[in-house]
Amino acid sequence: MYQSPTLEQALKHHFGYDTFRLGQRQIIEQALLNRDLLIVMPTGGGKSLCFQLPALLKKGVTVVVSPLIALMQDQVEALRNNGVSATFLNSSLNAYQVRSREEALLQGKIKLLYVAPERLVSERFLPLLDLVHHKVGISAFAIDEAHCVSEWGHDFRPEYRQLKLLRQRYPDIPVSALTATATDRVRADIIQQLGLNQPNIHISSFNRTNLYYEVRSKTKSAYAELLELIRETDGSGIIYCLTRKKVDELTLKLQHEKIAALPYHAGLTDEERNQNQTRFIRDDVRVIVATIAFGMGINKPDVRFVVHFDLPRNIESYYQESGRAGRDGETSRCLLFYNFSDVKTIEWSINQKTDPQEQLIAKQQLRQMIDYAEGTVCRRTIQLGYFGERFAGNCGNCDNCRYPKPEQDWTIEAMKFLSCVARCKEKYGMGHIIDVLRGAKTQKIIQNGHDKLSTYGIGKDRGLDEWRMLGRSLLHKGFLEQTSDGYAVLKLNALSWEIMRRQRTVTVAIPVAQRVPLTDRDAKAAEVDLLLQKLRSLRKQIADAQSVAPYVIFSDSTLRLMAQSQPKSLLEFSKLSGVASHKVSQYGDQFLAAIRAYHQKQGLLEKKLNSTPSDELPIGTELQTLQLHQQGLSVAEIAKKRNLRPRTIIDHLCNLIEKKQPIDLNLLVSVEKQQKILQVLEILGDVPLTPIKEYLGDRYSFDEIRLVKITWRCRGKR
């Protein structure tokens, strides 16, 4: 077995990391003992390293089975950028490329070979593998995405079943099976189907502590909330929708808002999908809007948010898809918009299945997903419990833990709702019942005489969304039934009558609207972010020149370390986590030069402002806004150029005015509006913005009033 210093030194030399993640070292030690392995480790847990590092420490070549072209190409690019001799063989190569790579393989120049399962078991490839085994030696087989071997897995692929021939053909070569999610049943199936020999089984916690999980009601403001999240989040994101139509519609709306977004679904050609995926991976666009067809082959570690704009079909799919956020361990956000109409869409799809057992399983999975969306307990308790992992709750990083929803007694409201269903003779859906309760004057109500019912208008004190929330809660708790014939008519049951007879109480968890910032930001953080943007720009230039994804050069977490520690020498640079030996010589000088240039520029700016008292000096991010303002750019133009929200730029400008910096108010607010706002200020005095806005009317924005008011207030201080 390798001694501790050797493994740590190899890790730093090849991959740039000083320490192993939880469980990695033990797995690698077992791999070096030539044990069969079953590794269940969540996305972002570092599965790949568990076979990549042993491959570099053992003689011969490690053959990696990977199901998707994009996935294997991505991993090979990252390995080569670390100076590791890796290659792939797949259908994207021409005959000459295949031949030259096979020659390199037979000459012992390759340590890791990535290949698709179909190619691996083909009649042409197996003789080549025999030759490699004879001439160079095969150190191990690694089966990535191993859940594909099981019919009980979420992405079963029949060709994976044939991989058992590896054990038959090469009985003495160790096999590692790796997957991000696998229930007990799937794990047993993997071991049997691949013929693993008394494998060492490693199951990591499914808890992704860096991900913030949140569920919001999908109301009319959902799109505006989505837009705000995109604009306030620095980095890439994935938005999932149930249908191709929704993907296309949402993509067009985002593009109209000047958000760099592209669609991905099965209705596009292979070329369009590949092109859109590549542009997303290489940071040419920030957002990909997709159906569930997107994501399995994505190795992009710096996805900062994943939004499900529609309800997923089951918890396992949701865990997999949301888990594509924050694979680099950085803080990321997973937001689900929930609307009961999504449930009806999925139910319709389930009812199209011809197998009654499949229907039953799909409906059970959907019920679990609804329970998750409507649950008031810790989100992780539900998620991890699905995979058989006990979790005490109170994770501190989900909406239910940070902002517990208060339970309120809604028995009286429930009695009103159920009585209305009874008065309407159990012949109508939820929408009509709520209209009756709220006293609407729809044609349907008038025609049926429901405006004469005793329950007509008795629910005016509650809003539409509140009644819908109660109606859904009654349905999901089994206090009310709903027909499944496509009309969704509400029906009473025994529990309904218990409530109406005051024999049963009803409590409802009331959602608490919260705006959750991704990080707490101060002046120091703003300075780091400013340098970080410079380093990201340099990384993108280098990546484009090499035709690789930017994260192949350095991860976001490594760039942030550079911005925070600001190394001054190659030695200091080499000590950063994520900087492998090969990358020091390859990129060190360029990134050190960028850090020095940033310091020089900041020094000049500070020199210009040395007459300003130190406590009134603008911070770095405000200085950048000031420079762009002095170039004549509007608030919208500055926001777009800096990839920030307009409101943030307004904050900068207001701070700059207070710090007596040269802000030209005439560029921000017309002279006519300035005069009118000043007149109102003289009348009302230094009051909050709302009374001033009410006095002036809709022609004047809060931002305009705020800028003039701060200027007026500062003049009064002089």
Side-chain angles (χ1 to χ4, degrees), residues 272-401:
E272 287 173 321
R273 283 200 304 275
N274 291 336
Q275 186 180 56
N276 290 358
Q277 178 173 290
T278 299
R279 292 188 65 192
F280 176 67
I281 288 173
R282 294 187 178 174
D283 288 350
D284 295 326
V285 294
R286 280 190 65 205
V287 176
I288 202 92
V289 187
T291 57
I292 57 171
F294 178 82
M296 185 178 170
I298 295 303
N299 195 32
K300 187 173 172 59
D302 55 353
V303 174
R304 293 278 73 88
F305 62 90
V306 171
V307 176
H308 281 76
F309 208 64
D310 298 321
L311 187 72
R313 297 171 190 273
N314 55 68
I315 289 179
E316 186 162 353
S317 295
Y318 179 66
Y319 181 85
Q320 280 278 5
E321 290 153 16
S322 61
R324 286 163 190 146
R327 294 179 56 156
D328 55 3
E330 295 283 298
T331 302
S332 303
R333 197 165 189 167
C334 304
L335 172 61
L336 165 61
F337 284 101
Y338 171 59
N339 187 305
F340 197 65
S341 63
D342 293 340
V343 176
K344 307 309 295 179
T345 302
I346 298 172
E347 284 178 339
W348 180 89
S349 175
I350 291 171
N351 289 332
Q352 307 313 300
K353 295 178 181 291
T354 54
D355 186 334
Q357 183 65 17
E358 282 186 23
Q359 277 196 19
L360 181 62
I361 292 170
K363 286 178 179 177
Q364 288 173 342
Q365 290 176 330
L366 176 60
R367 172 63 54 192
Q368 290 170 324
M369 194 65 233
I370 294 169
D371 290 344
Y372 173 83
E374 296 187 341
T376 58
V377 299
C378 171
R379 301 283 179 202
R380 282 174 167 78
T381 299
I382 302 174
Q383 277 185 16
L384 304 181
Y386 178 86
F387 295 107
E389 182 178 341
R390 293 177 64 89
F391 187 72
N394 195 23
C395 69
N397 202 25
C398 75
D399 53 345
N400 284 344
C401 288

Side-chain angles (χ1 to χ4, degrees), residues 377-436:
V377 299
C378 171
R379 301 283 179 202
R380 282 174 167 78
T381 299
I382 302 174
Q383 277 185 16
L384 304 181
Y386 178 86
F387 295 107
E389 182 178 341
R390 293 177 64 89
F391 187 72
N394 195 23
C395 69
N397 202 25
C398 75
D399 53 345
N400 284 344
C401 288
R402 285 201 196 178
Y403 310 104
K405 299 174 178 63
E407 291 273 350
Q408 290 189 9
D409 188 331
W410 274 38
T411 306
I412 299 299
E413 286 80 0
M415 291 171 65
K416 290 178 181 179
F417 191 99
L418 296 170
S419 297
C420 193
V421 173
R423 299 286 179 188
C424 292
K425 302 189 184 302
E426 300 176 67
K427 292 182 178 178
Y428 300 90
M430 190 182 297
H432 181 74
I433 298 299
I434 293 172
D435 282 344
V436 174

Side-chain angles (χ1 to χ4, degrees), residues 76-134:
V76 167
E77 282 178 354
L79 286 165
R80 285 178 173 170
N81 220 268
N82 275 333
V84 174
S85 55
T87 193
F88 59 81
L89 291 172
N90 60 37
S91 58
S92 69
L93 305 174
N94 59 38
Y96 170 76
Q97 290 172 316
V98 170
R99 213 163 37 246
S100 62
R101 294 184 185 205
E102 288 177 351
E103 287 173 5
L105 196 60
L106 292 168
Q107 291 168 8
K109 295 179 179 178
I110 303 297
K111 292 299 291 180
L112 285 126
L113 170 67
Y114 284 73
V115 63
E118 302 89 340
R119 179 179 290 259
L120 181 68
V121 298
S122 67
E123 290 182 4
R124 183 192 178 280
F125 190 79
L126 286 171
L128 171 68
L129 210 54
D130 289 340
L131 198 55
V132 171
H133 184 38
H134 175 71

Side-chain angles (χ1 to χ4, degrees), residues 206-249:
F206 289 93
N207 186 9
R208 301 278 306 284
T209 56
N210 62 310
L211 301 185
Y212 176 78
Y213 288 100
E214 178 183 8
V215 179
R216 296 188 193 179
S217 296
K218 189 160 62 174
T219 62
K220 290 180 180 178
S221 66
Y223 175 71
E225 293 175 37
L226 172 66
L227 205 56
E228 182 182 26
L229 172 68
I230 294 170
R231 285 176 170 160
E232 74 176 7
T233 305
D234 182 21
S236 304
I238 304 171
I239 303 169
Y240 285 106
C241 302
L242 272 176
T243 64
R244 301 176 192 178
K245 182 182 177 185
K246 182 73 75 67
V247 166
D248 290 335
E249 288 175 353

Side-chain angles (χ1 to χ4, degrees), residues 414-429 432-433 436-437 450 453-455 458 474 479-481 489-493 496-497 500-501:
M415 291 171 65
K416 290 178 181 179
F417 191 99
L418 296 170
S419 297
C420 193
V421 173
R423 299 286 179 188
C424 292
K425 302 189 184 302
E426 300 176 67
K427 292 182 178 178
Y428 300 90
H432 181 74
I433 298 299
V436 174
L437 286 167
H450 290 169
L453 295 175
S454 59
T455 51
I458 63 171
L474 292 171
F479 297 161
L480 184 65
E481 305 291 337
V489 173
L490 297 180
K491 299 286 184 182
L492 302 174
N493 60 23
S496 309
W497 290 105
M500 285 190 279
R501 294 187 190 111

